[in-house]
Amino acid sequence: MLARTLVTLALFAAPGLAQSATFTAVLEPATQPSICQEETHLVACNGALVKSTTLDLNQYVGKPYRFTAKLGGVTCNIWDVTAVAPAPATLTFCGSAVPGCPIRLRVGPSGAIGMWFLWWSPSSAFVPLDATLGTLMLGAPAFSLGSGPTASATPYFETALPSSPALVGLTVFSQGARMDIGPVGPLRLTNPICFTIAPFLPPCVLPGC
């Protein structure tokens, strides 16, 4: 309930123009032509523009990390990364994103006893909340996928996508959160993930994450 309330409030709050942000994300090189001409990287499954005047961000590409950044840029809003740390909460996706096939979303890291939470949205956003919780990267409206204990027999969300051709082409954005319990720790948002539902091409790939 706490996690759902926090994220629901953030989704409908005016994001304003935050001057700093802490966010967990996977970075990708910015290789496409851009009018900004300052960014070197972008946030995967989100598109937020990133650079660093003090760090080599290439060493952080492809895996989730927790970034601290300040807002910069001359022609565009670009997040200038000033510090990088291990990701306190991560989200992974596996399975086949096609109608009728199973998918799985897992909030990590595993190990300590805790709770996981998951949401999805048809759009993305970039709403810095605070240095502990992180940055919300889902647009409104967002919907709960579920929650549960990390120490359960199935510490993840798994479902079969509906067998409807109307879903083909839909891009789904998802983000999770994790909170340790015993003792209770702070809630921390994960990196976002996204997938586009493709036409059915048998056989389904079973989730393995």
Side-chain angles (χ1 to χ4, degrees):
M1 182 60 70
L2 171 63
R4 183 175 300 177
T5 300
L6 285 171
V7 174
T8 300
L9 289 174
L11 285 169
F12 294 98
L17 190 63
Q19 297 302 304
S20 62
T22 299
F23 56 95
T24 297
V26 175
L27 295 187
E28 298 177 341
T31 58
Q32 298 300 316
S34 167
I35 63 172
C36 305
Q37 298 183 347
E38 294 178 77
E39 74 278 7
T40 60
H41 297 77
L42 54 83
V43 173
C45 289
N46 181 266
L49 304 180
V50 179
K51 69 175 184 178
S52 180
T53 55
T54 58
L55 301 170
D56 177 11
L57 295 181
N58 288 320
Q59 61 186 317
Y60 304 113
V61 168
K63 295 182 179 180
Y65 289 93
R66 189 170 179 87
F67 300 93
T68 300
K70 57 184 179 181
L71 190 63
V74 177
T75 58
C76 302
N77 290 333
I78 299 176
W79 293 100
D80 188 346
V81 173
T82 58
V84 183
T90 59
L91 179 59
T92 55
F93 168 87
C94 57
S96 295
V98 297
C101 289
I103 61 169
R104 180 182 296 173
L105 293 91
R106 182 189 289 270
V107 176
S110 58
I113 298 175
M115 292 289 296
W116 61 265
F117 308 87
L118 274 174
W119 302 269
W120 77 274
S121 174
S123 63
S124 63
F126 193 92
V127 185
L129 300 177
D130 62 46
T132 300
L133 182 57
T135 295
L136 182 68
M137 298 196 195
L138 299 181
F143 308 92
S144 173
L145 281 175
S147 61
T150 59
S152 69
T154 54
Y156 47 77
F157 172 82
E158 184 171 324
T159 188
L161 294 175
S163 299
S164 171
L167 295 177
V168 173
L170 174 67
T171 298
V172 177
F173 299 87
S174 183
Q175 190 173 15
R178 193 185 187 285
M179 179 174 63
D180 288 337
I181 56 177
V184 175
L187 187 71
R188 299 179 185 272
L189 287 166
T190 71
N191 56 289
I193 63 99
C194 58
F195 58 90
T196 299
I197 299 176
F200 181 70
L201 294 173
C204 296
V205 175
L206 296 180
C209 56

